[in-house]
Amino acid sequence: MRNIGRPSLKTVLKASTVAGLAAVMLSSGIPAQVVQSFAAPVSVTAPQAPSFADVVSAVSPAVVSVRVQSDTQVASDDSSNFSFNFGGRGFDQLPDDHPLKRFFREFGGQMPGGPGDRDQDRAERGGPRGPDSNRPHRLRPTAQGSGFFISEDGYLVTNNHVVSDGSAYTVVMNDGTELEAKLVGKDSRTDLAVLKVDASSRKFTYVSFADDSKVRVGDWVVAVGNPFGLGGTVTAGIVSARGRDIGSGPYDDYIQVDAAVNRGNSGGPTFNLSGEVVGINTAIFSPSGGNVGIAFAIPASVAKDVVDDLIKDGKVERGWLGVQIQPVNQDIAESLGLKEASGALVVAPQEGSPGQKAGIKEGDVITAVNGQPIKDARDLAKRVAAFGPNTKVDVELWRDGKAQTIPVTLGNLASDEAAAAEPKQPDAPAPSSEKALDDLGITVAPAEDGSGLSVTEVDPDSEAAARGLKSGEKIVSVNNRKVESAADIGKVIEEARKDGRTRALFQVEGSGNSRFIALPIDQG
């Protein structure tokens, strides 16, 4: 057997390429077929993952940290900027030797002022310079968040819950420059606010709002902000859902993203890969208080309109219809003879409201406004609010099995809602002779005030109980017809049977509220 000489390690290391190594092997007497198999690496095409570096480089100068100060001497220990952080442990509950615990203990839960002396930093932020200090307190930071410039002359957007309790505002640029800002306006219903920085000596890099109607679930997004007061921080993820309602207000329509968003990111922008703002980070869902991959951003389309109004007038005025509404489910649609479970069911018009004055009644289903179909109760609230006060609109509704249109002049939500009627007190059941409505599983008696029927008993195995009807509540109407006795209910149900309906719509009052429930009726 021939002894094949092997190249030294030094010689092999000198070979900078596979081809060079192959040449060394051939010169050492290794057969060509062996060298060929060695020199042919497996060919794998790497997946094309996007780089966010260009986007981040372009938009970072427009993103700022926002420090908020108040006149109180002691800052809150909770520097969370999220008004919808759902529960969980605070940092004060971490172990004493935990690095985050040490970090927040050193900086008091606030944004560090820089690498200088800690006592000096505390003094600049309004705190005492040391344990023996008796110097007076200054304004203290009570919140911190993020924001972004939308114009070169210094207008910037953040969250209302970041600035709402403040009396002084400081904007920290990505290069560390600190600038004083003034509050232009804020809107609690959409959780948006606008600040203004003096731009007499400079022009600011700014970003634009995107057309969020083109944002799709699965699109890449980049969040830039000030989590935990650490300064400019970039995280990336995708749009994980659209149209989220988290119960924060009547105009909920959040974009859900899975980019890491934490305390301090509030008010910061979420960008698409073109560097346009698709949403403003506002809330997180978190059992622990930290990021779990579910964050909510106000859509750009909502923010743009509100921000324009705040810059123009310092406030947002919205159209006001003045009706209490609820969604239309399939049972309700069937009980009213509607083909589709859409629109907004009027539970009750408010006393003196534009809707009541125009003739809108409880039991009406609002199906369109100015010819635009209404998908659900939330859609109606947003569409009406988008109109200005004193705007005349045509409200299309479904009443008594027929469609009709009512002209309404909208009121001003900003001023009129305070004058809305106080909710009614719940009616207590009155002792009286009772008549069982076996088919429905309920027992009723005339209400003490002479209007409607008090529910005195509900069969726990009945459909009425399953749909939430409770003893002590009051039945006001059935299929939009007032009822004063059990016989009235029987009469309305019999008419519904003749019309081929399988459910009847009950208007129920209780706990200061009014609502509708659809109960199945026996076809006999």
Side-chain angles (χ1 to χ4, degrees):
M1 178 180 292
R2 193 171 76 164
N3 184 17
I4 300 176
R6 296 183 179 179
S8 67
L9 178 61
K10 181 178 181 180
T11 303
V12 172
L13 291 177
K14 286 182 180 179
S16 60
T17 65
V18 173
L21 183 58
V24 172
M25 295 173 68
L26 287 171
S27 65
S28 301
I30 297 176
Q33 59 270 26
V34 176
V35 174
Q36 184 177 6
S37 63
F38 175 83
V42 176
S43 177
V44 178
T45 301
Q48 298 299 308
S51 170
F52 307 109
D54 290 340
V55 175
V56 173
S57 176
V59 303
S60 288
V63 183
V64 301
S65 300
V66 178
R67 295 182 190 170
V68 181
Q69 297 171 311
S70 75
D71 293 320
T72 57
Q73 290 189 354
V74 180
S76 169
D77 289 335
D78 181 12
S79 60
S80 170
N81 297 107
F82 289 102
S83 39
F84 309 110
N85 188 329
F86 301 104
R89 294 194 307 166
F91 284 100
D92 58 334
Q93 295 174 294
L94 293 172
D96 288 338
D97 59 347
H98 195 286
L100 282 178
K101 182 70 172 287
R102 293 198 302 270
F103 176 87
F104 276 79
R105 184 168 56 241
E106 287 185 12
F107 295 110
Q110 305 298 334
M111 181 174 176
D117 178 75
R118 189 176 304 144
D119 278 350
Q120 177 64 28
D121 171 66
R122 286 174 178 163
E124 289 172 355
R125 293 186 287 120
R129 299 186 180 218
D132 299 326
S133 174
N134 59 3
R135 294 170 182 169
H137 291 282
R138 301 179 185 178
L139 293 176
R140 293 293 303 272
T142 58
Q144 58 188 15
S146 306
F148 57 97
F149 285 107
I150 57 168
S151 69
E152 66 177 13
D153 59 346
Y155 284 100
L156 63 98
V157 177
T158 186
N159 278 143
N160 171 69
H161 76 257
V162 172
V163 304
S164 58
D165 296 327
S167 57
Y169 313 93
T170 302
V171 170
V172 185
M173 309 283 288
N174 73 325
D175 62 1
T177 301
E178 297 187 9
L179 302 169
E180 298 302 312
K182 294 182 179 180
L183 180 64
V184 175
K186 57 186 179 180
D187 180 53
S188 62
R189 292 184 179 89
T190 54
D191 198 13
L192 290 167
V194 175
L195 299 174
K196 178 70 165 62
V197 174
D198 181 20
S200 58
S201 60
R202 63 183 298 176
K203 293 182 179 180
F204 295 96
T205 301
Y206 66 96
V207 290
S208 302
F209 288 111
D211 179 359
D212 62 61
S213 66
K214 299 179 180 179
V215 174
R216 303 171 299 168
V217 174
D219 281 348
W220 284 105
V221 289
V222 179
V224 184
N226 175 36
F228 303 121
L230 295 172
T233 299
V234 180
T235 55
I238 63 169
V239 174
S240 51
R242 298 266 343 232
R244 286 297 195 215
D245 180 358
I246 62 176
S248 64
Y251 312 120
D252 281 15
D253 188 22
Y254 290 103
I255 297 173
Q256 181 181 314
V257 300
D258 71 349
V261 172
N262 286 287
R263 296 178 180 180
N265 275 108
S266 280
T270 292
F271 295 100
N272 59 23
L273 296 191
S274 298
E276 300 169 321
V277 179
V278 298
I280 296 92
N281 299 318
T282 297
I284 60 173
F285 177 84
S286 175
S288 64
N291 169 65
V292 294
I294 298 178
F296 304 100
I298 302 167
S301 57
V302 173
K304 187 177 185 305
D305 291 340
V306 171
V307 166
D308 288 345
D309 286 345
L310 291 176
I311 291 175
K312 181 180 178 182
D313 301 318
K315 60 182 179 180
V316 179
E317 292 186 333
R318 297 180 171 89
W320 180 55
L321 186 58
V323 292
Q324 182 184 344
I325 54 178
Q326 73 177 59
V328 177
N329 58 30
Q330 192 59 48
D331 287 346
I332 291 175
E334 187 173 335
S335 70
L336 294 175
L338 285 168
K339 294 181 179 179
E340 297 180 354
S342 61
L345 177 62
V346 177
V347 176
Q350 296 179 16
E351 188 70 28
S353 68
Q356 186 197 50
K357 292 177 181 178
I360 295 177
K361 302 178 181 179
E362 64 269 15
D364 289 342
V365 176
I366 298 176
T367 57
V369 176
N370 278 0
Q372 298 296 315
I374 299 299
K375 294 184 294 184
D376 51 32
R378 187 174 50 161
D379 186 32
L380 175 63
K382 290 190 297 182
R383 288 187 183 274
V384 170
F387 294 103
N390 302 316
T391 302
K392 293 182 179 180
V393 297
D394 289 328
V395 176
E396 298 175 31
L397 50 84
W398 182 263
R399 177 188 295 172
D400 296 331
K402 298 178 181 179
Q404 55 182 287
T405 301
I406 294 178
V408 181
T409 299
L410 299 176
N412 187 343
L413 180 61
S415 60
D416 290 353
E417 67 173 355
E422 292 294 326
K424 298 179 181 179
Q425 295 299 316
D427 295 284
S432 180
S433 59
E434 299 180 353
K435 176 176 173 56
L437 301 176
D438 294 334
D439 292 344
L440 297 173
I442 61 176
T443 301
V444 298
E448 191 175 50
D449 61 2
S451 174
L453 295 166
S454 291
V455 179
T456 57
E457 187 177 351
V458 180
D459 182 350
D461 297 324
S462 66
E463 288 292 334
R467 283 165 170 75
L469 186 64
K470 300 176 182 178
S471 176
E473 294 184 312
K474 185 169 74 170
I475 299 173
V476 178
S477 69
V478 179
N479 284 355
N480 297 323
R481 291 175 58 180
K482 300 294 183 181
V483 290
E484 306 293 342
S485 66
D488 289 344
I489 294 178
K491 184 177 180 180
V492 174
I493 289 177
E494 183 59 32
E495 291 177 358
R497 287 196 188 103
K498 292 179 180 179
D499 291 339
R501 298 184 185 180
T502 59
R503 287 174 172 80
L505 189 66
F506 285 67
Q507 183 182 8
V508 179
E509 290 183 357
S511 301
N513 295 310
S514 180
R515 70 186 190 281
F516 286 90
I517 58 175
L519 298 180
I521 54 179
D522 185 7
Q523 294 300 303

